[in-house]
Structure formats: structure tokens, C-alpha cells
Amino acid sequence: MSDEEDIDLSAIDEALAGGCGGLFGRDLLRLLDLTPAEFTLVLDTAAAQKAAWAAGKRDQPCTGDTVAVILEKPSLRTRSSFEAGISRLGAHPLVMSDQNSAFSRGESVQDTTLVLERFVDAIVLRTFAQSKIEEVAEWASVPVINALTDEFHPCQGLADALTIREHKGDLAGLKLAYVGDGNNMAHTYLELGALAGMEVRIATPPDFAPLEWVVDDCREAAADTGAAIDVGCDPVAAVDGADVVVTDTWTSMGEEEEHDTRLKAFEGFQVNAALMAHAADDAIFMHCLPAHRGEEVTDEVVDADCSVIYDEAENRLHTQKALLSLVLGAA
Ligand code: CP
Ligand code: NVA
């Protein structure tokens, strides 16, 4: 992108004209909190802001705002992308993690949230149960953004959707295969696909299927977008002809004690060159990271030309910037 004329800022202009597309003041606890149009608006805004930033147009639309980033689990990408993105918006990131997290002293969710919101304009939270972030959102009068729970990782979903769009064009109709654990990322891809009108195929061992209520919600959402949802246990059938092949760790944060039994249970679910050979010739490989090389994916796949893992990581920053500027009313 060489000069300002090349940058499509129309998404941002439209969002401003329409009060940030109705996203001002809103929470994002899971992707299905967004309508398909709102989901597209976040991606369009992210693409426009990304191009503008690359061209040297460095607006700081959230100057004076403060955003709390509370991390009750470890993080590399989420912490650094939120901290950098919030700074780029001109706002102050108030990062609290581990034993210094806002909730680590045992104060009630009510007291913690009602105090915190006196100081900050939005709350970003990584925690365990989805019910906890739902409780925070019930108390908070400022927007609450899910930075990963046991059930969902919507910010990763936004980054991945932008990455797929950059590499494959329109999302509608694309075939996405997820092979591995029916975890927060599997749920997030089901929701992403349902919103975007994609064909999502999930393959997990029988005892590690996605939660039924999430699948039901996605099938209902898919009825409006033309998406197709298939949940099964056959990695080859899932990957057959896929445009996008995705996996995630077999042992999520909080499940470390199950690591050895999980290694056995997931035999046959590794994404390796033999499995990728069933995908479309121009398929891309994705992983939210951290990857456990040699477990859910082999080096030959994660380091192949078709792997877009570092683009995914970078797009965390762009999509979260877009989301924050929309919910803060500053896009
Ligand atoms: N993908 C992701 O959320 O990475 P972190 O756990 O490092 O934040
Ligand atoms: N499923 C993984 C995702 C990490 C970003 C976990 O919850 O640990």
C-alpha cells in the first residue's frame, strides 16, 4: 500500500456514520454475540485500520481511554497484542495477570467489577469458566471482551477470520476442517463458520466432541447464513478437499494433569503431511498457537509454505484494535 488513496477507509466511515454499527458499548463474550453484519464490520474495520497503519496513518482514536486486561491464565499473544493494540489506539492498557490479577484476592465478582469500572472504559478478561465472564458482564456497565475462557476464544476467531479472508478471499462457502480436541477453539471455529456461511467439519475422538449446546446454537445460526456444520470423528473425511485445515493443542490450559492420557486418546488425530494431502491443493494450515510440535501437528506442516500461523498471530492485534475502537465508539 503506497499512499493514502489506496486505503479503503469506507468501513470505518460507515461505522462512524452508523454509530459504530451498533457495537458501541457492547460486550463480546462469544462470536455468536455478533450478527453476521457486525462480524463483517469488525473484519472490514480491522482491514482498513491495518492498511492505514502500514501506510503511516497512525490515528489514536481512543486517546484518554483506559482498558483493563485481566489474565487468569498464561499468555504470550493475547497479552502482547492487546497491550500493543491498546497503545496504538492511544489508550492506556492496565494489565493485571496471575497472582496480581484483579480477581486473585478473593473479592466478589460484584465488588471487583463495580470498582474496576470506575477507572476503566473496557474490561478484557481471560479466565476459566464462561459463567465467570458472563457474571462480570452482568455487573459491568463498560464493554467486556472475552480473551479466552474454557468454552470460547472469540478474539482468536476474529483474527483467524481476517487471516482466512486475506489468503482465500470471501469466507462464504469455504470448507474449514478442524481436527483435534472439541475445545474452546473448536467451538470458536463452529461459531465463525456459522456467522460467515462456511462449511465447518470437526473431527475429534468420540470422548472429546464439542459441547452439544454450542453445536446446536451454531446449527441455528447457520440456518440464516447458509453455513453447514458437520461434527464427527474421522479426520480424513473432515480434511477431504478442505480449503483451511486447523488444529489446536490436545491439552488446554488447566488440563495439564491429563496430558499423558490425552496423548493416547488423540492418536490418529495429528495433522501431518499425510493428512494434509487430503486437503485442497491450495489449502492453508492454521493454529492459534502455542503449538505442541510433534503432538497435534508435525514440524513439516507447521513450517510448510501453506502455514499462515504468524499471520494469524499478527491479526490478533488488528482485529482487537478494530473491536475495541468500535465498542469504545471511536472507530
Ligand atoms: N493464541 C493465544 O491466545 O495465545 P496466548 O495463549 O499466548 O495468548
Ligand atoms: N485451547 C487452548 C487455546 C490456547 C490459546 C487453551 O485453552 O489452552
Side-chain angles (χ1 to χ4, degrees), residues 24-167:
F24 174 55
R26 290 265 297 279
D27 301 323
L28 182 70
L29 307 187
R30 58 188 289 194
L31 281 181
L32 285 188
D33 287 344
L34 301 173
T35 64
E38 290 165 348
F39 175 72
T40 303
L41 174 63
V42 178
L43 301 186
D44 289 347
T45 305
Q49 287 182 347
K50 181 176 178 178
W53 187 270
K57 193 170 181 306
R58 302 194 165 188
D59 294 341
Q60 297 203 306
C62 300
T63 300
D65 285 335
T66 298
V67 178
V69 179
I70 304 166
L71 302 165
E72 300 193 305
K73 293 180 179 179
S75 168
L76 166 65
R77 282 142 289 267
T78 301
R79 179 185 172 146
S80 26
S81 59
F82 267 111
E83 197 162 341
I86 291 163
S87 299
R88 286 191 186 188
L89 288 169
H92 173 68
L94 176 59
V95 180
M96 290 174 265
S97 59
D98 306 324
Q99 69 272 30
N100 297 317
S101 144
F103 296 99
S104 59
R105 291 164 73 199
E107 273 188 88
S108 69
V109 171
Q110 173 186 340
D111 290 347
T112 307
T113 308
L114 293 180
V115 169
L116 197 55
E117 69 167 16
R118 299 290 175 108
F119 310 125
V120 303
D121 301 283
I123 297 171
V124 173
L125 175 60
R126 166 169 287 194
T127 188
F128 291 84
Q130 184 75 5
S131 56
K132 174 151 176 192
I133 199 168
E134 285 169 358
E135 193 183 348
V136 172
E138 270 170 32
W139 288 112
S141 60
V142 297
V144 176
I145 308 291
N146 181 350
L148 182 144
T149 58
D150 293 344
E151 286 89 343
F152 297 108
H153 198 0
C155 292
Q156 185 71 52
L158 291 172
D160 289 7
L162 181 64
T163 309
I164 298 168
R165 216 170 75 162
E166 287 173 346
H167 286 273

Side-chain angles (χ1 to χ4, degrees), residues 151 153 156-157 160 178 183-190 248 288:
E151 286 89 343
H153 198 0
Q156 185 71 52
D160 289 7
Y178 174 95
N183 61 11
N184 44 12
M185 284 311 306
H187 297 158
T188 297
Y189 288 115
L190 283 164
D248 182 28
C288 68

